[in-house]
């Protein structure tokens, strides 16, 4: 029996595929390669290129393969872009998940682990954020993730399907061996932008606002290493396969770092200057997002091991140095 990884050519999905294969699992990858990279797909995984909104395509995969469970990463994930293209986000994220659940029900596949987001909370009432806080997304992206969770909830009530939804905070880092890593085009995330600046590919990094109500005036976020994040997915898979009930968990490191602290840590790790300019606030950015991940630790037995910000940046830096142009152009030492 195989684990089906939807979006297995993306940043987070590719790390899931590698970790599953490390554990000797059979993995089938589906990806439309719109934002994912063919080079990031594990060479021994079975790969189908196609779109999850295409029901006939998805049925073919479920008919050809023997699927034990699904991990679903296939979605658009940029907050800013979602504000300009809400219909694209609802179509790809929500309709895609609807088709997926229909095909899972048809083929009696019962377990799904799903990548959700801290964006489902919006501006939190209090930190650290626990799973029972109200969900008031401030972006179309966050609304699609919340709607995807609701699709799962109602499907699980009506059919023999169980789900675990994992609400990610800020994911960063890369596999230690650096064969896969983060490569978004265009890049909008803080850690890769800092490291591209350290490599001299950008003249400076712009800090989006230094007038927030935080100790140094810049936004505070909770950064979690992609490898720790994936270990929670594999625990969630085991939990569901052992008849665990449907549930929602936050995944973060429970520690907050400001933008300026991240840049200072990157200067230490890389030994580079990393020039900075101060810009305006970015629309929709809450000032502080810090997770409580106690529930994932207690129920799933999650034990994040790479919680030092230096290690997260170090692993990301190794990837950027080995692949300064991302996928497609590998620089060998
Ligand atoms: N950020 C920044 N400059 C950049 C990119 C990001 O100051 O070029 C800030 C952003 O405002 C936020 C934090 O870094 O406070 C993390 O942003 P990112 O886009 O990585 O993740 P998000 O928090 O939006 O999920």
């Amino acid at each position: 029996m195989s684990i089906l990884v939807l979006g297995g050519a993306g940043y987070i999905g590719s790390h899931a595929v590698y970790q599953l294969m490390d554990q000797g699992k059979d993995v089938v990858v589906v990806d439309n390669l719109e934002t994912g990279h063919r080079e990031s797909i594990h060479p021994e995984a079975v790969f189908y290129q196609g779109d999850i909104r295409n029901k006939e395509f998805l049925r073919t995969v479920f008919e050809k393969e023997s699927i034990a469970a699904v991990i679903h990463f296939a979605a658009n994930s940029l907050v800013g872009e979602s504000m300009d293209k809400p219909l694209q986000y609802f179509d790809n994220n929500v309709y895609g998940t609807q088709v997926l659940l229909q095909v899972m029900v048809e083929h009696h596949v019962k377990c799904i682990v799903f990548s959700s987001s801290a964006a489902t909370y919006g501006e939190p009432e209090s930190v650290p954020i626990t799973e029972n806080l109200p969900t008031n997304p401030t972006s179309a992206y966050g609304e699609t993730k919340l709607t995807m969770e609701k699709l799962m909830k109602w499907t699980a009530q009506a059919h023999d399907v169980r789900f675990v939804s994992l609400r990610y905070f800020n994911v960063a880092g890369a596999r230690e061996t650096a064969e896969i890593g983060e490569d978004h085009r265009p890049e909008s995330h803080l850690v890769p932008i800092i490291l591209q600046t350290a490599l001299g590919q950008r003249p400076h990094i712009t800090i989006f606002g230094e007038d927030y109500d935080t100790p140094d005036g810049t936004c505070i976020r909770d950064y979690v290493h992609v490898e720790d994040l994936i270990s929670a997915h594999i625990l969630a898979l085991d939990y569901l396969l052992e008849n665990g009930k449907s549930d929602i968990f936050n995944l973060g490191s429970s520690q907050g770092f400001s933008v300026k602290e991240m840049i200072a840590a990157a200067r230490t790790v890389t030994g580079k200057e990393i020039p900075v300019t101060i810009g305006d606030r970015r629309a929709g950015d809450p000032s502080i997002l810090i997770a409580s991940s106690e529930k994932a630790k207690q129920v799933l037995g999650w034990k994040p091991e790479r919680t030092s910000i230096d290690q997260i940046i170090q692993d990301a830096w190794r990837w950027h140095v080995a692949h300064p142009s991302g996928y497609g152009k590998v620089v060998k030492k």
Side-chain angles (χ1 to χ4, degrees), residues 43-97:
E44 281 155 38
V46 176
F47 175 53
Y48 292 87
Q49 182 175 351
D51 195 300
I52 61 166
R53 288 166 290 188
N54 181 342
K55 197 187 272 183
E56 285 315 312
F57 160 73
L58 213 49
R59 278 185 174 136
T60 309
V61 176
F62 277 75
E63 272 151 29
K64 281 195 180 157
E65 304 293 337
S66 171
I67 308 293
V70 175
I71 311 186
H72 178 26
F73 300 99
N76 291 121
S77 63
L78 300 178
V79 169
E81 186 184 59
S82 79
M83 304 301 273
D84 296 332
K85 301 176 182 169
L87 295 174
Q88 178 194 309
Y89 270 64
F90 275 86
D91 182 45
N92 193 24
N93 296 4
V94 176
Y95 178 63
T97 301

Side-chain angles (χ1 to χ4, degrees), residues 170 188-190 193 206-208 219 221 223 259 282 285:
N170 288 64
S188 68
H189 294 103
L190 181 67
I193 288 178
T206 303
I207 295 179
F208 296 146
C219 288
R221 293 287 180 276
Y223 295 86
V259 175
R282 186 172 68 178
D285 267 346

Side-chain angles (χ1 to χ4, degrees), residues 265-308:
R267 286 184 178 130
T268 307
V269 167
T270 64
K272 307 283 183 189
E273 187 197 346
I274 314 183
V276 159
T277 59
I278 306 296
D280 293 337
R281 289 185 177 200
R282 186 172 68 178
D285 267 346
S287 55
I288 305 181
L289 289 176
I290 302 174
S292 163
S293 303
E294 282 314 304
K295 187 175 167 190
K297 289 177 184 164
Q298 278 169 20
V299 178
L300 301 177
W302 187 44
K303 293 192 190 77
E305 288 169 357
R306 301 165 184 86
T307 52
S308 122

